[in-house]
Amino acid sequence: MTAHGRGEQALLSPLNEHGHEAVAAAPNTLTGEGLAEVLKGASVVIDVSNSPSFEDEAVMDFFRTSTTNLMKAESEAGVAHHVALSVVGTERLQDSGYFRAKQAQEELIKASGIPYSIVHATQFFEFMKAIAAAATEGDTVRLAPVKIQPVASDDVAATVGRTAVGDPVNGVVEVAGPDAFQLDQLIGKGLAAEKDPRTVVADVHAPYIGAELKESTLLPAPGAHIGGTRFTDWLSRQQ
């Protein structure tokens, strides 16, 4: 089993503890260099990579090129299960260049002929600071007052790991946190906990990574895996 991308160690530790031979790998998927060597003997590949740039053209090039190279190398190596981490609501956020690129990644995986599982996660607790930063104008943070059900990265890693050792679903598995919040209020809680003086303003037209949001855009469907870590407990541990 091979894991590729950032955050792979959070995935590999529990897999190895349960007797699976899991290794981290960082081949150059944009050039394909090192892929054949890394995938030799791998039965499962977990791709948790992300683009270093969110600029529209750059992010599309990253996911199209890296996924094309990765799927080709997996096919040649006889990989039996491709697992990719993506985002809940990707198909509903196509006004965003980032999510158009994620959709392109998913379509390449589906068309590859390799058995696959795509894990859609809601936004990580750990990304709340980045969401606030992207929505900041001066001392004001503008966010849409819509529902979000964020999740701890450790709970996502556990779901990805369980998916990887199971049979390919040839579809999407969703994972979310146990509680839903209003996005602007959630970010407000995080800022207040850090005594951040910025003011959060609810704005129905505020973009989210380049796309406007509807009430349920960021929510998982019924039947999603639910992580056990609550945001309030996670936040208290950050102090």
Side-chain angles (χ1 to χ4, degrees):
M1 185 180 298
T2 298
H4 161 60
R6 299 172 188 170
E8 64 268 12
Q9 287 302 334
L11 290 169
L12 298 183
S13 294
L15 288 170
N16 284 319
E17 288 168 5
H18 285 83
H20 302 284
E21 186 180 349
V23 297
N28 190 332
T29 51
L30 289 176
T31 66
E33 184 179 354
L35 276 175
E37 293 80 2
V38 164
L39 297 180
K40 192 172 183 179
S43 59
V44 181
V45 171
I46 304 171
D47 183 7
V48 293
S49 62
N50 204 0
S51 173
S53 170
F54 279 22
E55 188 274 325
D56 286 4
E57 186 175 344
V59 71
M60 181 64 79
D61 180 66
F62 174 86
F63 281 116
R64 278 185 172 163
T65 302
S66 63
T67 304
T68 296
N69 288 338
L70 189 57
M71 304 314 291
K72 179 177 183 293
E74 287 181 30
S75 179
E76 293 171 351
V79 170
H81 189 185
H82 179 89
V83 180
L85 180 61
S86 193
V87 187
V88 163
T90 289
E91 72 284 0
R92 300 187 290 269
L93 289 160
Q94 292 300 290
D95 287 342
S96 161
Y98 178 81
F99 287 106
R100 287 196 298 273
K102 290 297 291 180
Q103 186 70 24
Q105 177 194 26
E106 294 186 23
E107 290 169 359
L108 286 166
I109 292 167
K110 294 172 184 177
S112 70
I114 297 171
Y116 70 92
S117 303
I118 297 171
V119 178
H120 273 190
T122 54
Q123 284 295 356
F124 297 1
F125 297 157
E126 291 84 354
F127 288 171
M128 295 302 108
K129 287 183 180 180
I131 291 173
T136 296
E137 301 171 357
D139 294 327
T140 301
V141 183
R142 295 189 178 277
L143 293 160
V146 300
K147 293 293 184 182
I148 187 171
Q149 199 167 328
V151 64
S153 61
D154 284 348
D155 291 339
V156 175
T159 299
V160 172
R162 286 194 300 268
T163 302
V165 300
D167 293 332
V169 301
N170 293 315
V172 172
V173 174
E174 291 193 327
V175 57
D179 303 307
F181 300 87
Q182 193 165 293
L183 177 59
D184 56 314
Q185 295 174 0
L186 174 70
I187 299 302
K189 287 177 184 291
L191 295 180
E194 296 194 348
K195 297 181 172 52
D196 190 309
R198 284 176 290 178
T199 300
V200 178
V201 174
D203 180 350
V204 295
H205 298 298
Y208 178 84
I209 315 181
E212 283 198 18
L213 299 174
K214 295 181 180 179
E215 179 65 18
S216 62
T217 301
L218 302 178
L219 293 178
H225 293 276
I226 301 300
T229 308
R230 296 190 178 280
F231 178 72
T232 50
D233 294 335
W234 175 85
L235 189 62
S236 68
R237 295 198 293 267
Q238 310 309 304
Q239 308 307 308

